[in-house]
Amino acid sequence: MIPSQFDYHAPATLAEAVTLLSRFGEGAKVLSGGQSLLPLLKLRLGSAEHLVDIGRIPGLEYIKEDGGMRKIGGRTRESALENSELVRARVPILHDTVKVIADPLVRNLATVGGNLAHGDPGNDHPATMLVLGAQVVATGPSGERVIPIDRFFVGLFTTALQAGEILTEIRIPLPPARSGGAYVKLERKVGDYATAAAAAQITLSPTGTFDKVGIALTNAGPTPVRCKKAEDFLYNKRPTDTSIAEAGRLAGEAASPSADRRGSVEYKREMARVLTVRALRRALERAGGN
């Protein structure tokens, strides 16, 4: 299909982009990589009176370490993240995540910021960012503000970004020693949305117990699902088959998926349980605890 009519804008600076978004209000959409937005417009599942393309704005594509944070520019391509040795070596869960997003053609255009700002619970980055304790930097008419990722996803396709704001940076605290993470995804075919997926990020104490635990699920509700009961259960416990199995059970209970052609509610909850166990075991291997 063909999208409904819209006006196209290509600002050269971030300030110009913010001004355009503020002027046009709810009728304007940010075009970053376009790999989620454009299909919605073509299928008439969404509409926009104005598209503000931020692709020509310099300084929004980077991966760097600064002040104990891994900083990723909002317009950084998924392929750049996938090929980054910094990411592969220091935050392997992020590499797990990006390599199962769609296919190489999409990853060459899609952006990390666009993936998060779209607010789709079926996207892969949100669960991973939740367990990493990321922060989102939004730039708008009042300047920059930092949004903790736990407060960013507020509903189906809805985020904490306000009118006129653009997601310009993602900040991820660098994991301490004896940390590991993993993202495990079940999909019907390569490039599909997840039937279910689980992210786990852990840090072990000097005595080998769980010191920090993050567990989150993809496509398990209207927003990415943080599994607080599973996290709290594992804290200060030893990583045994029994404790990991119980954490998986609690994660499955936290899932509230919808039935569709990918599976029933019961099947998806069971897969959430299974994938959480697998993600925790892989995270433990990477943390040197197994």
Side-chain angles (χ1 to χ4, degrees):
M1 294 182 66
I2 299 173
S4 57
Q5 185 173 344
F6 57 80
D7 290 333
Y8 173 80
H9 308 267
T13 67
L14 187 58
E16 184 183 352
V18 169
T19 299
L20 287 168
L21 291 171
S22 300
R23 181 191 308 165
F24 298 125
E26 293 184 359
K29 301 289 185 184
V30 175
L31 179 64
S32 187
Q35 299 305 288
S36 295
L37 177 61
L38 293 181
L40 286 179
L41 296 180
K42 289 182 70 175
L43 293 170
R44 302 289 180 104
L45 296 174
S47 62
E49 297 174 6
H50 301 270
L51 284 189
V52 179
D53 186 349
I54 62 173
R56 292 174 174 80
I57 299 174
L60 295 180
E61 300 183 38
Y62 53 84
I63 303 168
K64 62 185 180 181
E65 291 184 6
D66 179 33
M69 292 276 188
R70 167 71 38 74
K71 296 184 177 181
I72 303 169
R75 262 200 46 83
T76 301
R77 308 283 183 176
E78 301 286 8
S79 56
L81 205 64
E82 181 181 14
N83 295 320
S84 168
E85 287 303 320
L86 272 177
V87 170
R88 191 189 304 264
R90 298 292 297 273
V91 196
I93 184 177
L94 201 51
H95 185 257
D96 288 349
T97 306
V98 70
K99 71 182 182 182
V100 295
I101 293 174
D103 55 49
L105 291 176
V106 170
R107 294 196 293 272
N108 283 336
L109 292 172
T111 64
V112 185
N115 187 287
L116 294 174
H118 192 51
D120 187 344
N123 280 352
D124 294 292
H125 277 307
T128 293
M129 295 299 178
L130 279 172
V131 303
L132 286 170
Q135 301 170 352
V136 169
V137 179
T139 303
S142 300
E144 283 189 357
R145 66 187 183 106
V146 179
I147 309 167
I149 198 70
D150 278 321
R151 301 178 187 174
F152 186 70
F153 303 104
V154 298
L156 183 64
F157 293 102
T158 307
T159 70
L161 290 173
Q162 298 175 356
E165 288 187 329
I166 298 172
L167 195 162
T168 50
E169 186 176 78
I170 302 100
R171 299 174 180 171
I172 301 171
L174 292 177
R178 303 203 73 192
S179 294
Y183 184 73
V184 183
K185 178 179 179 179
L186 173 65
E187 52 193 345
R188 295 177 304 167
K189 61 179 182 177
V190 173
D192 193 13
Y193 282 105
T195 300
Q201 178 72 24
I202 62 102
T203 299
L204 297 175
S205 71
T207 60
T209 59
F210 287 105
D211 189 42
K212 293 181 181 179
V213 184
I215 301 171
L217 305 174
T218 297
N219 234 358
T223 63
V225 175
R226 185 76 180 264
C227 304
K228 287 295 294 179
K229 286 186 179 180
E231 294 173 350
D232 293 344
F233 171 79
L234 284 179
Y235 177 70
N236 222 20
K237 288 187 173 63
R238 293 199 169 274
T240 64
D241 289 344
T242 301
S243 64
I244 291 171
E246 177 62 10
R249 186 189 69 80
L250 291 170
E253 286 186 351
S256 55
S258 299
D260 57 23
R261 59 186 179 178
R262 294 180 178 86
S264 65
V265 169
E266 293 75 16
Y267 175 71
K268 290 182 175 184
R269 281 180 173 156
E270 176 64 8
M271 290 303 98
R273 180 193 70 79
V274 169
L275 296 176
T276 297
V277 169
R278 292 180 183 177
L280 282 168
R281 286 176 174 163
R282 189 175 299 173
L284 276 165
E285 290 176 3
R286 289 172 169 170
N290 207 358

